Amino acid sequence: KVASNLVAVSAIVRDKSGQPVANLTRGAFLLKQDGKLQPITYFSQGSDLPLTLALMVDTSGSQRYYIQDEIAAGRVFFPAMLTKPEDRAVLVQFDRTVLQLAKITSSVTTLEHALAYLSQPHDDYFAPTSRGGTLLFDAICAVSHLELGNQMGRRAMVILTDGGDNGSRYSSKQAIEEAQRADIMIYTIYYSNGGGDEDVLKGLSKATGGREFTVSPTLSLQQIYAAIASDLRLEYEIGYRPPDSRPDQYHKIDLKANDKKLLVQAREGYFTPAEPATSGPAK
């Protein structure tokens, strides 16, 4: 476990062709908070650390056509991602409500069985207070609040949707804030015939250090899953002790590589805890 005042930053580094770069050292990075250089006090290759993953599937009317493909790809995805005993995942569907089809577990079998429920109607489960048909932002906020543990580690959401939101209580900005507080990278997968809002997905991913993909005739869902798995295996975990700050304040993070030919993918900011934590990395 890491001291409570250590800010964790997950990062992926790419070369000019877009391929992840492995085997970098602490000295390869420059980190600034609010424009001021900060010493890096913790550094690790992400593959050495546990992974907590949320696979989130839009099951609203506009997405029902793609569910069988998503189930088939998910059966390959979970075994590829959960490679260590401490790795865990959760399966969530969202439409008029947000449903946790499998709680956080290290069991690939449990997750694979839960995938079958994506294709089943869930009208009986619709919340009576539901206000719309696609609660994308509410789903991100809900999953960000799941207990992900107090250890440094890799945290990611993978969201399959067309980017449309209808009825969420929370906004895109609030969803990004909650993911940043929890140090979760958001990987979005735009699956649509032209509807929805792809720009929303790009914004979610950029702000949290993830990536946005689009399923197309030349890029299948399984290929996208393979690219995400490759990313997370080559992730770096970086920590620094921030200057003293008032609680619940947002700070901009700028993480770059010394080699200007390399591009660093990381979250753009963090919030100081609202109250002092007793253990675990600062969010």
Side-chain angles (χ1 to χ4, degrees):
K1 293 187 177 180
V2 182
S4 60
N5 62 341
L6 194 68
V7 177
V9 184
S10 301
I12 296 165
V13 182
R14 302 186 186 284
D15 60 22
K16 60 183 179 181
S17 66
Q19 296 302 308
V21 178
N23 302 318
L24 295 176
T25 63
R26 183 188 313 228
F29 295 90
L30 287 174
L31 188 149
K32 293 181 180 180
Q33 176 183 301
D34 299 328
K36 296 181 180 179
L37 192 64
Q38 305 294 327
I40 295 172
T41 56
Y42 176 90
F43 184 84
S44 175
Q45 288 274 359
S47 58
D48 299 331
L49 299 171
L51 169 68
T52 302
L53 175 78
L55 180 59
M56 302 165 62
V57 181
D58 182 348
T59 52
S60 63
S62 63
Q63 295 296 105
R64 302 297 295 182
Y65 176 79
Y66 309 113
I67 287 178
Q68 290 303 321
D69 184 31
E70 292 165 354
I71 291 173
R75 289 178 176 144
V76 177
F77 185 56
F78 282 126
M81 298 303 300
L82 305 187
T83 59
K84 297 182 178 181
E86 61 271 28
D87 291 343
R88 304 179 301 165
V90 59
L91 178 63
V92 173
Q93 75 161 59
F94 60 94
D95 39 48
R96 298 184 193 175
T97 189
V98 181
L99 293 177
Q100 196 173 10
L101 298 183
K103 294 183 178 180
I104 293 179
T105 179
S106 59
S107 170
V108 171
T109 300
T110 297
L111 293 161
E112 288 177 336
H113 287 167
L115 285 166
Y117 290 98
L118 290 171
S119 62
Q120 298 185 10
H122 295 278
D123 295 280
D124 292 339
Y125 295 92
F126 287 165
T129 57
S130 172
R131 303 189 303 168
T134 312
L135 304 185
L136 169 60
F137 304 143
D138 284 0
I140 293 172
C141 291
V143 173
S144 296
H145 290 163
L146 292 177
E147 177 52 57
L148 300 182
N150 288 328
Q151 292 183 334
M152 298 285 280
R154 299 169 291 159
R155 300 178 177 91
M157 291 182 192
V158 178
I159 307 176
L160 291 91
T161 182
D162 63 3
D165 184 283
N166 179 20
S168 281
R169 292 176 173 82
Y170 297 99
S171 66
S172 173
K173 181 180 178 181
Q174 289 171 310
I176 288 171
E177 177 179 325
E178 293 305 316
Q180 288 178 332
R181 287 181 184 276
D183 189 21
I184 297 173
M185 287 181 163
I186 298 180
Y187 283 81
T188 55
I189 302 174
Y190 180 71
Y191 212 163
S192 176
N193 287 324
D197 192 336
E198 191 171 5
D199 288 339
V200 165
L201 302 184
K202 291 177 180 178
L204 292 168
S205 294
K206 183 177 183 296
T208 59
R211 296 173 69 190
E212 188 264 341
F213 294 88
T214 299
V215 177
S216 70
T218 58
L219 187 63
S220 70
L221 184 55
Q222 289 200 20
Q223 288 173 312
I224 291 171
Y225 278 167
I228 294 172
S230 176
D231 263 19
L232 296 177
R233 280 194 293 268
L234 296 176
E235 186 177 317
Y236 298 93
E237 286 293 323
I238 294 167
Y240 72 99
R241 300 188 187 280
D244 291 339
S245 177
R246 290 178 297 166
D248 204 28
Q249 297 295 305
Y250 179 80
H251 298 280
K252 182 174 175 57
I253 293 174
D254 184 15
L255 181 64
K256 294 183 178 179
N258 284 314
D259 185 344
K260 297 186 184 303
K261 295 179 182 179
L262 300 179
L263 177 65
V264 177
Q265 172 186 323
R267 61 173 168 159
E268 296 179 335
Y270 84 101
F271 288 82
T272 52
E275 297 178 358
T278 55
S279 63
K283 305 304 186 193

